[in-house]
Amino acid sequence: QNHHGLHAMALIGLLVAVPAALVTLARLGGTPAAAAAAGITPYLLAAPYVLPWYFAWVLPVAAFSDDRGLAAVVFAESVLMDLAYTYRVVPHADALDRVLRSVSGVTQMFEVLALAALVGAAVVVLLRPRVDTRPALPQDACACR
């Protein structure tokens, strides 16, 4: 039996699900918008099939989040995807056409680097020792004696 398809699907699932879980968990202490945007962004960066209008899911949420870095990644990827999908091959390419032709490769490099940066930042946040921010209870003078 050939299980190559199953292995490929499992790998894709790991490349999307694990980063999404890590990035979301790291942002649970922020606003709900940041956590929601964090759950969707790794899918948009790592999924094998994404169309430019998929960013309509996350752009508004990322804009309302308290996470500027995540919002910047979503915005930049949205612009790159729009450029990559709207470029058309022309018979006599000028300098602008040659630049636009390279956007597809730039988009792929950006996706890998952005996903690695988001996951790396999430791991740092998740491994950082937690500091108890609850206010200290007042000490009862009678209980101390």
Side-chain angles (χ1 to χ4, degrees):
Q1 291 180 353
N2 185 358
H3 296 292
H4 180 70
L6 182 61
H7 296 302
M9 290 303 292
L11 180 61
I12 289 170
L14 284 175
L15 288 174
V16 175
V18 171
L22 290 173
V23 174
T24 302
L25 285 172
R27 284 166 175 77
L28 287 179
T31 63
I40 300 168
T41 302
Y43 169 78
L44 295 173
L45 293 171
Y49 184 78
V50 175
L51 295 171
W53 49 88
Y54 289 10
F55 289 86
W57 304 341
V58 72
L59 272 170
V61 178
F64 286 115
S65 77
D66 60 348
D67 192 328
R68 285 182 164 173
L70 185 66
V73 165
V74 171
F75 179 74
E77 176 66 4
S78 175
V79 170
L80 287 170
M81 287 290 287
D82 281 340
L83 288 172
Y85 268 88
T86 56
Y87 172 72
R88 299 288 181 249
V89 177
V90 294
H92 303 288
D94 60 10
L96 177 61
D97 291 315
R98 286 189 292 278
V99 168
L100 289 175
R101 187 179 318 142
S102 70
V103 169
S104 180
V106 170
T107 302
Q108 291 171 345
M109 285 188 296
F110 177 81
E111 290 166 347
V112 169
L113 294 174
L115 189 61
L118 289 174
V119 169
V123 168
V124 167
V125 167
L126 293 171
L127 293 179
R128 184 180 311 147
R130 305 235 189 271
V131 177
D132 191 4
T133 58
R134 295 178 291 179
L137 296 175
Q139 293 183 352
D140 185 4
C142 297
C144 294
R145 293 180 191 177

